[in-house]
């Protein structure tokens, strides 16, 4: 029987950034006007598009696996120092259908972090046709999503997300 990995207790921050490839274009989000959906923030994505997903940890952590929408993603470490580390992967919406009017989809992201457990979040998204620039790019430019996490034995996966903050360029979204 393998000894269980000790949990790294304490707090850490996960920062998620999503950019369109290949040009690194921004992704947009909007505040919903009413509480008719599960969340008040919606991230807008195009169908048939590849996105670069950057994940950083402060203080540094080792990302064992990254799963987006039940797909295991290949994530490579891009940078590491004594204060933070960063990983990148690519997610594609190829073959997905645009969202029907008045609907939203969940984009579930699960990160297995060595010595800490699993960090998971679901982004509320709306998918637009690849050529529908007008609707998909209406709203605020999403800079990143910050997840303030705490190691917690009583939380699913051993990590509790205490706070989720959407940052647009210069402000909160």
């Amino acid at each position: 029987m393998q000894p269980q990995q000790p949990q790294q207790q304490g707090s850490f921050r996960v920062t998620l950034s999503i950019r369109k490839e290949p040009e690194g274009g921004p992704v947009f989000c909007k505040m919903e006007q009413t509480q008719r959906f599960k969340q008040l923030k919606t991230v807008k994505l195009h169908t048939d598009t590849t996105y670069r997903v950057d994940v950083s940890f402060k203080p540094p952590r080792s990302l064992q696996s990254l799963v987006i929408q039940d797909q295991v993603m290949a994530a490579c470490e891009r940078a590491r120092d004594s204060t933070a580390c960063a990983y990148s992967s690519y997610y594609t919406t190829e073959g997905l259908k645009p969202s029907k009017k008045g609907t939203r989809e969940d984009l579930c992201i699960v990160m297995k972090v060595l010595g800490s457990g699993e960090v998971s979040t679901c982004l509320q998204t709306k998918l637009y046709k690849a050529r529908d620039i007008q609707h998909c790019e209406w709203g605020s430019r999403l800079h990143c999503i910050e997840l303030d996490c705490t190691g917690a034995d009583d939380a699913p996966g051993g990590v509790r997300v205490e706070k989720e903050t959407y940052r647009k360029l210069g402000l909160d979204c």
Side-chain angles (χ1 to χ4, degrees):
M1 197 157 116
Q2 293 273 343
Q4 198 163 355
Q5 186 92 18
Q7 295 284 51
Q8 285 181 358
Q9 296 300 322
S11 300
F12 61 97
R13 174 172 284 168
V14 178
T15 303
L16 297 170
S17 173
I18 305 170
R19 301 274 182 266
K20 267 187 188 178
E21 283 296 309
E23 73 281 354
V27 167
F28 290 78
C29 72
K30 73 171 217 170
M31 286 291 295
E32 297 295 347
Q33 300 301 311
T34 63
Q35 186 68 55
R36 65 182 179 151
F37 304 111
K38 286 191 252 179
Q39 299 180 37
L40 283 173
K41 296 173 184 86
T42 297
V43 176
K44 298 175 163 199
L45 301 175
H46 279 119
T47 58
D48 300 317
T49 303
T50 297
Y51 292 92
R52 177 173 159 169
V53 178
D54 292 323
V55 179
S56 66
F57 295 93
K58 217 176 207 184
R61 296 282 199 265
S62 292
L63 181 64
Q64 286 184 295
S65 67
L66 173 65
V67 177
I68 301 176
Q69 283 308 87
D70 296 324
Q71 296 176 41
V72 177
M73 312 304 292
C76 65
E77 188 173 88
R78 298 272 185 210
R80 177 176 291 268
D81 64 21
S82 62
T83 62
C85 64
Y87 296 83
S88 292
S89 188
Y90 294 90
Y91 171 71
T92 182
T93 57
E94 187 174 329
L96 297 180
K97 303 281 185 230
S99 303
K100 291 185 177 170
K101 185 176 181 179
T103 64
R104 303 291 184 264
E105 284 81 31
D106 286 336
L107 181 70
C108 295
I109 301 171
V110 179
M111 296 154 277
K112 190 170 184 182
V113 183
L114 183 65
S116 296
E118 283 188 0
V119 178
S120 62
T121 189
C122 277
L123 308 182
Q124 179 172 277
T125 63
K126 180 156 180 144
L127 289 164
Y128 292 88
K129 291 179 184 173
R131 299 192 191 286
D132 188 350
I133 306 299
Q134 180 182 354
H135 290 100
C136 195
E137 294 188 359
W138 181 87
S140 301
R141 288 179 185 223
L142 180 62
H143 175 63
C144 66
I145 301 164
E146 295 173 349
L147 306 173
D148 291 334
C149 303
T150 304
D153 292 331
D154 63 340
V159 176
R160 180 179 298 114
V161 176
E162 302 286 352
K163 184 178 176 188
E164 185 176 83
T165 307
Y166 284 62
R167 301 244 182 241
K168 60 184 181 180
L169 293 178
L171 303 166
D172 294 349
C173 178

